[in-house]
């Protein structure tokens, strides 16, 4: 806006001086006034010229906003109608690295200049609880059915066993969802459509594998878009799939509509990569499930400042090793740990999550489970549930560049601030656990809430539309 006014102004200066030589003055001034009025009118009535303190959902990176390849009326995000005060809506800013001076729990102002209470674990607890109730009552998902006797049925139906291991989150989510009150058999009642394929199972199926997965997904989308009208009417928007392994991100490469319009619920949620679109997609926490509570959580003495164990599979980890391998306060261990892992997590104040091949690992879930405050060193990681949870309240986020300052940053956190962080860790633990059947506010319900924020809110009438788009 400012730039266009400037342009008009300089244009007018030139024209004005010209006018002494000709009779252009009157028509050009008139034209100028007309253009200015039009501009003023547009700026006062449209939101093309967004005000910096515009309320509602803000996008972290405006260029990240999903492209919808077909001109549809579906909006990917919706501001729930019952939010009373717009300025109370959770800010979607990523947690910023803690300042060296002052610690992480000091007051800060949000991007709109308002005071942000950083001591809680929620951006806004009341709004979350109110919306959650509404979601729990009204949110409906339609799952594309799959014939049980089809030879690929195992990749579309939920697993029968208790999921385990690194990618358990995917299997847990699918297993819990498909036996849940959110499911509707009536597609006209659905807020979202679930693509039930399991990336984990397709990856291990020798008929598909990593090489064949892109063609398989393409084939599947062609099948459902021919058999049902729901895909074509939105170009795939209002659909979602879930994947914990990072190949879930590239598996959609051959169907651009899935990539650009469908919601990816994925563990490898790096907004640095083009395969993940923050705010359209949602981050799934990678959680190594544990069936029993740690026995000595309350009595554990946390004598080490910080702890890390893992393999050196990334430049970030190499940097960590180079900076801290001989340190007595920060214990970094690469390769197989000879002492028990749970003892190390219970014996440290801070536990490091450091980017490996991908931004995500199970380390955040592990730290929370063992009551250790996570330190996140993984640039561009769209942290799980960050639309709901205030990560600054229970973790420390440090940029890779600041690895040499790690000790200084952690030591500058006062005991009171640490205790606050740790008590918040214990408050958020339940959001990072899976249960079958699910328990209110557990990882499953949190993912559902994130999806609910992304639901389509315009129901397109069925008849005719699928045909007219072809
Ligand atoms: C920004 O917000 C303040 C207070 O909420 C309001 O007074 C002001 O008019 C707003 N500015 C714009 C440009 O919307
Ligand atoms: C933070 O802000 C609150 C409310 O304005 C104030 O009471 C409190 O003293 C502030 N705390 C710090 C550490 O500045
Ligand atoms: C900040 O949030 C905490 C936890 O929800 C609450 O106890 C405290 O009163 C809040 N402080 C302010 C100034 O709103
Ligand atoms: C959510 O719905 C389930 C199933 O109807 C119910 O058991 C649970 O109590 C509900 N939770 C809340 C917080 O409303
Ligand atoms: C499932 O597939 C079997 C064998 O291909 C077929 O006989 C059956 O009718 C199918 N069932 C449904 C519900 O489509
Ligand atoms: C798509 O449909 C064809 C024909 O029914 C079937 O042979 C094929 O297995 C299906 N592909 C997928 C990925 O569902
Ligand atoms: C959806 O569009 C595809 C490609 O344009 C077409 O092949 C298919 O028949 C359409 N589906 C329906 C249900 O009309
Ligand atoms: C750590 O110790 C090893 C030998 O034990 C030494 O070679 C290395 O230079 C030391 N690294 C740092 C960063 O001090």
């Amino acid at each position: 806006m400012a730039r266009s006014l400037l342009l008009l102004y300089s244009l007018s200066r030139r024209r004005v001086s010209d006018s002494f030589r000709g009779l252009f003055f009157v028509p050009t001034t008139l034209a100028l006034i007309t253009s200015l009025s039009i501009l003023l009118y547009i700026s006062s009535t449209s939101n093309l010229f967004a005000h910096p303190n515009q309320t509602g959902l803000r996008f972290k990176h405006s260029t990240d906003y999903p492209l919808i390849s077909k001109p549809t009326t579906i909006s990917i995000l919706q501001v729930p109608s019952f939010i009373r005060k717009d300025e109370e809506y959770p800010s979607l800013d990523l947690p910023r690295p803690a300042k060296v001076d002052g610690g992480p729990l000091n007051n800060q102002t949000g991007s709109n200049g308002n005071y942000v209470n950083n001591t809680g674990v929620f951006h806004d607890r009341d709004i979350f609880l109110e919306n959650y109730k509404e979601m729990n009552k009204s949110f409906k998902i339609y799952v594309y059915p799959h014939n049980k006797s089809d030879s690929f049925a195992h990749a579309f139906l939920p697993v029968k066993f208790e999921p385990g291991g690194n990618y358990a989150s995917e299997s847990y989510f699918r297993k819990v969802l498909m036996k849940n009150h959110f499911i509707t058999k009536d597609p006209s009642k659905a807020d979202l459509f679930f693509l039930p394929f399991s990336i984990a199972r397709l990856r291990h199926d020798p008929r598909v594998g990593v090489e064949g997965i892109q063609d398989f997904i393409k084939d599947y989308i062609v099948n459902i878009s021919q058999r049902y009208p729901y895909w074509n009417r939105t170009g795939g928007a209002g659909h979602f799939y879930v994947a914990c392994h990072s190949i879930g991100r590239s598996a959609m490469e051959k169907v651009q509509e899935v990539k650009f319009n469908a919601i990816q619920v994925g563990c490898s949620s790096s907004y640095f990569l083009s395969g993940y679109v923050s705010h359209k997609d949602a981050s799934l926490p990678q959680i190594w499930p544990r069936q029993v509570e740690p026995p000595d959580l309350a009595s554990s003495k946390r004598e080490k400042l910080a702890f890390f164990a893992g393999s050196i599979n990334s430049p970030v980890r190499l940097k960590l090793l180079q900076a801290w391998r001989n340190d007595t306060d920060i214990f970094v261990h690469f390769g197989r740990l000879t002492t028990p892992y749970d003892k190390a997590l219970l014996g440290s104040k801070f536990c490091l999550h450091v980017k490996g091949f991908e931004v995500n690992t199970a380390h955040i879930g592990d730290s929370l489970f063992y009551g250790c405050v996570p330190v996140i060193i993984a640039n561009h990681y769209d942290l799980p549930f960050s639309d709901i949870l205030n990560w600054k309240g229970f973790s420390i986020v440090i940029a890779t560049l600041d690895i040499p300052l790690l000790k200084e940053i952690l030591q500058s956190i006062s005991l009171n601030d640490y205790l606050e962080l740790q008590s918040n860790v214990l408050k958020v633990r339940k959001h990072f656990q899976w249960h079958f059947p699910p328990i209110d506010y557990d990882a499953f319900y949190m993912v559902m809430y994130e999806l609910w924020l992304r639901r389509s809110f315009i129901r397109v009438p069925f008849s005719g539309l699928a045909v007219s788009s072809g």
Side-chain angles (χ1 to χ4, degrees), residues 361-433:
T361 72
H363 284 131
I364 293 181
D366 293 347
S367 334
L368 297 175
F369 186 78
Y370 288 99
C372 184
V373 174
V375 174
I376 298 147
I377 309 176
N379 291 359
H380 313 296
Y381 186 9
D382 191 11
L383 289 163
F385 314 141
S386 56
D387 295 328
I388 308 161
L389 298 177
N390 168 29
W391 278 80
K392 275 182 232 159
F394 60 94
S395 74
I396 306 290
V397 180
I398 289 177
T400 302
L401 215 59
D402 287 337
I403 285 177
L405 300 175
L406 184 60
K407 193 154 147 182
E408 197 184 335
I409 292 172
L410 297 183
Q411 282 178 340
S412 75
I413 294 165
S414 71
L415 181 63
N416 274 349
D417 280 354
Y418 178 77
L419 292 175
E420 180 91 49
L421 284 166
Q422 210 216 0
S423 84
N424 285 344
V425 161
L426 301 184
K427 283 184 202 152
V428 298
R429 283 170 84 223
K430 64 167 177 287
H431 306 307
F432 292 84
Q433 284 168 17

Side-chain angles (χ1 to χ4, degrees), residues 225-226 228-229 232 466:
S225 73
Q226 279 172 354
Y228 303 87
N232 283 1

Side-chain angles (χ1 to χ4, degrees), residues 133-369:
K133 250 189 260 156
E134 181 64 27
M135 172 214 47
N136 200 28
K137 265 207 314 266
S138 62
F139 195 23
K140 289 294 168 229
I141 308 285
Y142 178 80
V143 182
Y144 282 104
H146 204 84
N147 191 332
K148 283 192 178 61
S149 50
D150 175 73
S151 70
F152 282 105
H154 76 105
F156 289 88
L157 303 173
V159 296
K160 296 221 170 64
F161 50 85
E162 195 73 37
N166 255 328
Y167 305 112
S169 292
E170 178 192 300
S171 302
Y172 255 117
F173 180 81
R174 296 175 64 253
K175 188 178 164 85
V176 178
L177 175 71
M178 293 200 225
K179 278 233 183 314
N180 204 274
H181 67 282
F182 292 115
I183 298 295
T184 178
K185 292 250 182 281
D186 179 357
S188 70
K189 297 228 160 61
D191 298 293
L192 289 179
F193 290 75
F194 182 50
L195 305 167
F197 48 72
S198 159
I199 294 293
R201 304 213 103 192
L202 291 172
R203 181 173 155 247
H204 290 301
D205 189 318
R207 293 167 298 173
V208 183
V210 178
E211 287 75 37
I213 202 160
Q214 295 183 351
D215 286 311
F216 186 90
I217 300 290
K218 185 175 164 210
D219 206 27
Y220 179 71
I221 298 296
V222 167
N223 283 358
I224 60 156
S225 73
Q226 279 172 354
R227 281 176 212 158
Y228 303 87
Y230 322 120
W231 185 272
N232 283 1
R233 65 183 179 154
T234 61
H239 285 69
F240 73 99
Y241 69 96
V242 57
C244 197
H245 193 281
S246 60
I247 64 160
R249 210 174 41 209
S250 52
M252 311 300 143
E253 221 42 57
K254 290 194 174 158
V255 230
Q256 296 289 301
E257 284 189 334
V258 184
K259 218 176 131 182
F260 291 131
N261 301 339
I263 301 161
Q264 171 186 189
V265 180
C267 291
S268 302
S269 52
S270 167
Y271 57 82
F272 185 71
L273 301 170
S274 65
Y276 180 87
V277 182
S278 50
H279 296 287
K280 172 181 79 67
D281 298 334
S283 175
L284 180 71
Q286 182 172 347
I287 296 164
W288 187 289
R290 292 181 172 81
Q291 307 310 338
V292 288
E293 294 293 296
D296 42 4
L297 191 57
S299 62
S300 63
K301 294 241 179 321
R302 299 183 183 272
E303 275 156 1
K304 283 249 176 322
L305 179 66
F307 162 72
F308 176 83
S311 52
I312 314 180
N313 56 8
S314 72
V316 188
R317 291 186 176 184
L318 186 62
K319 201 172 158 182
L320 183 80
L321 177 72
Q322 284 163 349
W324 299 109
R325 70 167 141 204
N326 299 339
D327 199 82
T328 47
D329 298 311
I330 295 178
F331 180 74
V332 292
H333 187 92
F334 288 87
R336 188 168 283 280
L337 203 62
T338 48
T339 51
Y341 183 52
D342 56 346
K343 292 276 175 298
L345 292 163
L346 284 164
S348 308
K349 288 172 80 180
F350 295 97
C351 295
L352 310 184
H353 161 95
V354 187
K355 181 186 183 293
F357 288 122
E358 299 285 340
V359 287
N360 57 297
T361 72
H363 284 131
I364 293 181
D366 293 347
S367 334
L368 297 175
F369 186 78

Side-chain angles (χ1 to χ4, degrees), residues 132-133 136 181 440-441 445:
Y132 182 99
K133 250 189 260 156
N136 200 28
H181 67 282
D440 261 321
Y441 309 110
Y445 278 104

